[in-house]
Amino acid sequence: MKQKKGNVSRGKILASAAVIAVIGLLFGVAMQGLLKDTLGLSQSNISICMIVFLMFVECLWLPFAIDSSKCMEYHETYLAYLPPYGHFKKLSLVLQILLSKEISDFYERLYWHEIDRVKFTFERKWGTWGYSRYTMQLYFLLKNKDVKLFTMNSMENGFLLPSSTGGLPIFANLHHEDIVNILQYMKTCGVIIEDPYHLLEALKNPDITMYEYMETINKPYKF
């Protein structure tokens, strides 16, 4: 049985919580004078406001520490993956992880025999400075006519700029070889892969810059 572990890490969540807390505290300290002079709050009330503010910020940002597109396990008979849950569902998952509880109930399973075919495509959106941002997508077309969407923010997307033009891929979650391995394993399990833009072959070729390749396809922007 071949398996790829997901990226659901208690350590990563705790590290993210610590960073958020530090930023929140710095902001709170900077706002103390304003709260005291403008609203006339006492030091104890200011402390309560800071605690409430920190809790709000943690609840707002911690779910982003869960990267759904890296949380998958693929086996001989099925693919287990974490769906793109909404914010509050992700927050519930974060709490489960921090409490060291079992999170298998959050995963969905797609059995290979249920899949009619998989369409491998991408979505193009406006980026910064006139560049594009790309999200690779797997559409699982099931035999019962349901469609499941799995998105992958690949290494092409850097901070402010595409990674090929100097942008740091700090928000990217899957390397090219990860995407290739996922699709190749699906093929060995008998899954038909539709690849209208020949993305898989381009990903395999180290001489191809994927950002430039997808730019040549001239796919319409999605808003």
Side-chain angles (χ1 to χ4, degrees), residues 26-70:
L26 291 174
F27 181 78
V29 170
M31 292 294 291
Q32 273 193 90
L34 180 64
L35 291 172
K36 193 171 184 179
D37 298 337
T38 305
L39 301 179
L41 296 180
S42 65
Q43 187 58 48
S44 60
N45 285 335
I46 290 174
S47 298
I48 293 172
C49 288
M50 286 182 65
I51 292 171
V52 172
F53 174 73
L54 278 176
M55 291 176 62
F56 170 76
V57 172
E58 292 283 4
C59 291
L60 184 65
W61 286 104
L62 264 187
F64 292 103
I66 301 294
D67 187 352
S68 297
S69 70
K70 289 188 83 170

Side-chain angles (χ1 to χ4, degrees), residues 3 147 167 195 213 216:
Q3 179 171 299
V147 179
D195 186 9
Y213 178 80
T216 63

Side-chain angles (χ1 to χ4, degrees), residues 13 16-22 24 50-66 85-96 98:
I13 292 173
S16 298
V19 171
I20 294 168
V22 169
M50 286 182 65
I51 292 171
V52 172
F53 174 73
L54 278 176
M55 291 176 62
F56 170 76
V57 172
E58 292 283 4
C59 291
L60 184 65
W61 286 104
L62 264 187
F64 292 103
I66 301 294
Y85 287 126
H87 190 85
F88 291 106
K89 186 76 172 181
K90 272 192 173 183
L91 183 59
S92 175
L93 173 59
V94 166
L95 293 175
Q96 288 283 94
L98 291 177

Side-chain angles (χ1 to χ4, degrees), residues 79-145:
L79 169 73
Y81 69 99
L82 197 64
Y85 287 126
H87 190 85
F88 291 106
K89 186 76 172 181
K90 272 192 173 183
L91 183 59
S92 175
L93 173 59
V94 166
L95 293 175
Q96 288 283 94
I97 295 169
L98 291 177
L99 294 172
S100 299
K101 292 187 177 181
E102 177 62 45
I103 62 168
S104 58
D105 289 344
F106 286 87
Y107 280 83
E108 288 189 5
R109 289 187 179 186
L110 272 180
Y111 289 87
W112 304 124
H113 70 268
E114 297 176 332
I115 301 172
D116 183 51
R117 63 192 187 283
V118 173
K119 185 176 181 181
F120 183 30
T121 182
F122 68 93
E123 181 179 85
R124 184 186 192 192
K125 291 186 176 181
W126 292 102
T128 53
W129 310 111
Y131 289 100
S132 304
R133 291 187 66 82
Y134 290 102
T135 302
M136 294 187 182
Q137 300 172 320
L138 292 176
Y139 283 92
F140 293 91
L141 308 172
L142 307 185
K143 292 177 180 176
N144 65 2
K145 306 304 180 183

Side-chain angles (χ1 to χ4, degrees), residues 178-194:
D178 295 326
I179 300 172
V180 170
N181 289 340
I182 292 168
L183 293 170
Q184 294 286 59
Y185 188 71
M186 288 182 188
K187 284 186 175 182
T188 64
C189 295
V191 177
I192 299 172
I193 307 292
E194 291 183 356

Side-chain angles (χ1 to χ4, degrees), residues 161-176:
L161 298 171
S163 58
S164 59
T165 59
L168 295 175
I170 56 176
F171 299 115
N173 49 39
L174 284 178
H175 292 273
H176 292 168

